[in-house]
Structure formats: C-alpha cells, structure tokens
Amino acid sequence: MEFSGKVWRYGDNVDTDVIIPARYLNTANMKELAAHAMEDIDPSFAGKVQQGDIIVAGKNFGCGSSREHAPGALKAAGVACVVAESFARIFYRNAINIGLPLIELGEGEINIKAGDTLSVDLAGGVAENLATGERFVVPALPGFIQEIAQAGGLVDYTRQVLAAREGNR
C-alpha cells in the first residue's frame, strides 16, 4: 500500500476526545463524525482535509477512550494513514480493525512539518518527505495487517476470506 498526501501535524498525547469530541458521539455515522474530527485542537481540519492526507503526530497518539469512533472519524474524513512516534495500544488495534493504517516512525517524525507532502510505502517500509527529500525507514506492517487495511477493515477482510473459502469448496 502506498500513500501520498498533505501533512496535518500534531504533538504528543492527542487523545480520542480531541480526535472526535464526546459531545458528538450520539451517532455512529462516521461521515457525520468526520465533520467534527479534530475540531477542538484544529477547527480548520474537517473543512480542509483532503482524501489521502496524512496525520503526523508525536508520542502516544490516540490515548484516552477505547471507542472506535476516533479512528473511524479520521478515516471517514479522508485520512489515508497516521504516522506518529508512538500510539496508544487500544487506538492502534481499533485503527487496524477499521482499516486505517498506522506507522510508528519514532523520532524521525520530528522533521515533518504541517503542509509538507509525505509519501509512504507500507510494503517497502519507506516514507519520504517530498518537501525536503528526507527519507525514513519505517517498520513494514505485517502482510496480514496490510491485507486488513486493503480490504477496508477486519469485518470486510473476514468476509473476503470466508467468501474465498466458500468458493474453494
């Protein structure tokens, strides 16, 4: 999987209540939630994010609650992937479950600025800041996680696997 998009830059400890404020959790409609993604930390985000854009953040991205609404809202807003120094484990699992790829870049993300264009090759394990030419080696996601992301999430992946098995009988 490869992505290239504009960078939205955030710092450390971006919690799920900032990603999607709890006051909007009276719906499970991800498109509605996407309209409010990041609004408490970046009011311009939902109105300006483009399909394929990439969030780059610091340590502990996605800390807080265990709701899948946070990664779902980002994905529905058009975010192709999130690159961070580290992720809260429950956010990481929820993002994989809904098909939002995450990349732990470590301290290399520090030189990536808001507005830069980042190119990411998940299979090859390489990210490049197209604004500066700087390249980063990123841990390649295991093949099955890439398959889950390509399928659109764990539910769709499971459906594909079951359909393939049924077709082989």
Side-chain angles (χ1 to χ4, degrees):
M1 296 180 74
E2 295 183 27
F3 308 102
S4 185
K6 177 182 155 189
V7 169
W8 293 84
R9 187 70 166 86
Y10 302 102
D12 295 340
N13 302 310
V14 175
D15 68 60
T16 55
D17 287 331
V18 170
I19 296 169
I20 183 62
R23 65 185 173 274
Y24 299 113
L25 296 179
N26 57 354
T27 181
N29 182 311
M30 289 301 148
K31 283 293 182 192
E32 288 180 32
L33 293 175
H36 301 287
M38 308 300 281
E39 78 178 24
D40 285 353
I41 194 172
D42 185 351
S44 70
F45 179 83
K48 293 184 178 178
V49 66
Q50 302 273 325
Q51 190 71 34
D53 283 357
I54 298 170
I55 289 179
V56 176
K59 299 174 188 164
N60 202 28
F61 187 86
C63 57
S65 74
S66 61
R67 296 181 292 254
E68 285 187 357
H69 297 78
L74 294 178
K75 183 178 176 185
V79 173
C81 71
V82 181
V83 177
E85 188 171 338
S86 65
F87 293 93
R89 294 295 89 186
I90 191 69
F91 181 86
Y92 190 91
R93 287 188 297 273
N94 285 338
I96 296 304
N97 284 345
I98 60 113
L100 177 65
L102 304 179
I103 299 170
E104 288 188 328
L105 189 53
E107 293 182 18
E109 56 81 25
I110 210 144
N111 296 319
I112 301 169
K113 309 270 186 270
D116 288 352
T117 300
L118 190 65
S119 174
V120 178
D121 177 358
L122 292 179
V126 176
E128 181 178 1
N129 184 337
L130 300 180
T132 65
E134 189 172 8
R135 294 174 62 97
F136 308 95
V137 175
V138 297
L141 293 176
F144 76 95
I145 291 179
Q146 290 185 50
E147 290 174 13
I148 291 169
Q150 287 174 327
L154 185 58
V155 171
D156 291 332
Y157 173 76
T158 302
R159 285 184 182 132
Q160 288 177 7
V161 168
L162 293 174
R165 286 183 185 165
E166 188 64 31
N168 290 332
R169 289 186 178 185

